[in-house]
C-alpha cells in the first residue's frame, strides 16, 4: 500500500465498534462510560455514538460510534485527557476495539441502495 492510498482511506467517515465484557456492576460501567462519552462528544470529528447492552447477557456491551474521519478518531484517542477515561474503562471491562469503513447504508422504508465508497 502506498502513502497516497492510506491518506485516501483516512478522508472518509469511519465507524468505531468496541465490544465490552464487563466484570463490574453494570451501573458503575455505564456511569464511567457516560463520562467518556461526554469527553468524546467534545472532540473534533465526533458525529454520534450508541452504547448498547446485550439483551440476554447483561455483562456484554457494544459501542458504535461514527467519526468524520480516521484522523479525527485517532486524535481523540491519543489526546492526553483521554488516558484517564481509557484506564477507568479498562479497570471495569475487557474490550475489543475495531474501525470500519461504511460499504452499504439503508434507512428503514428505503427502496434504493445507497452505496458508500464502492
Amino acid at each position: 500500500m502506498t502513502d497516497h492510498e492510506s491518506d485516501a482511506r483516512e478522508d472518509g467517515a469511519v465507524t468505531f465498534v468496541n465490544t465490552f465484557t464487563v466484570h463490574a456492576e453494570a451501573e458503575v460501567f455505564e456511569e464511567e462510560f457516560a463520562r467518556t462519552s461526554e469527553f468524546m462528544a467534545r472532540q473534533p470529528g465526533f458525529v454520534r455514538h450508541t452504547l448498547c447492552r446485550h439483551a440476554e447477557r447483561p455483562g456484554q456491551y457494544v459501542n458504535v460510534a461514527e467519526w468524520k474521519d480516521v484522523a479525527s478518531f485517532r486524535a481523540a484517542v491519543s489526546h492526553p485527557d483521554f488516558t484517564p477515561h481509557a484506564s477507568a474503562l479498562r479497570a471495569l471491562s475487557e474490550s475489543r476495539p475495531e474501525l470500519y469503513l461504511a460499504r452499504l447504508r439503508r434507512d428503514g422504508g428505503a427502496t434504493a441502495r445507497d452505496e458508500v465508497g464502492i
Side-chain angles (χ1 to χ4, degrees):
M1 178 183 337
T2 67
D3 289 344
H4 177 71
E5 288 170 335
S6 177
D7 290 343
R9 283 161 87 249
E10 293 194 11
D11 286 342
V14 295
T15 300
F16 175 67
V17 179
N18 198 355
T19 57
F20 295 92
T21 301
V22 176
H23 50 262
E25 293 293 322
E27 297 78 23
V28 172
F29 173 77
E30 291 177 15
E31 288 172 9
E32 191 59 49
F33 192 91
R35 285 189 279 279
T36 303
S37 173
E38 290 172 8
F39 169 80
M40 291 305 228
R42 293 189 305 269
Q43 302 311 300
F46 176 84
V47 178
R48 74 180 61 85
H49 85 86
T50 303
L51 177 67
C52 301
R53 188 171 72 185
H54 195 284
E56 297 173 350
R57 293 188 307 264
Q60 296 293 119
Y61 288 80
V62 64
N63 177 49
V64 180
E66 296 176 44
W67 287 83
K68 178 183 163 196
D69 51 42
V70 173
S72 295
F73 170 77
R74 288 189 177 146
V77 297
S78 64
H79 192 289
D81 292 342
F82 177 68
T83 302
H85 294 285
S87 296
L89 290 174
R90 274 196 295 273
L92 302 171
S93 65
E94 295 176 17
S95 69
R96 195 179 97 216
E98 306 279 348
L99 275 178
Y100 293 88
L101 300 171
R103 305 308 294 157
L104 175 69
R105 180 176 294 119
R106 184 180 312 270
D107 292 332
T111 57
R113 182 176 168 163
D114 180 12
E115 295 180 4
V116 181
I118 296 177

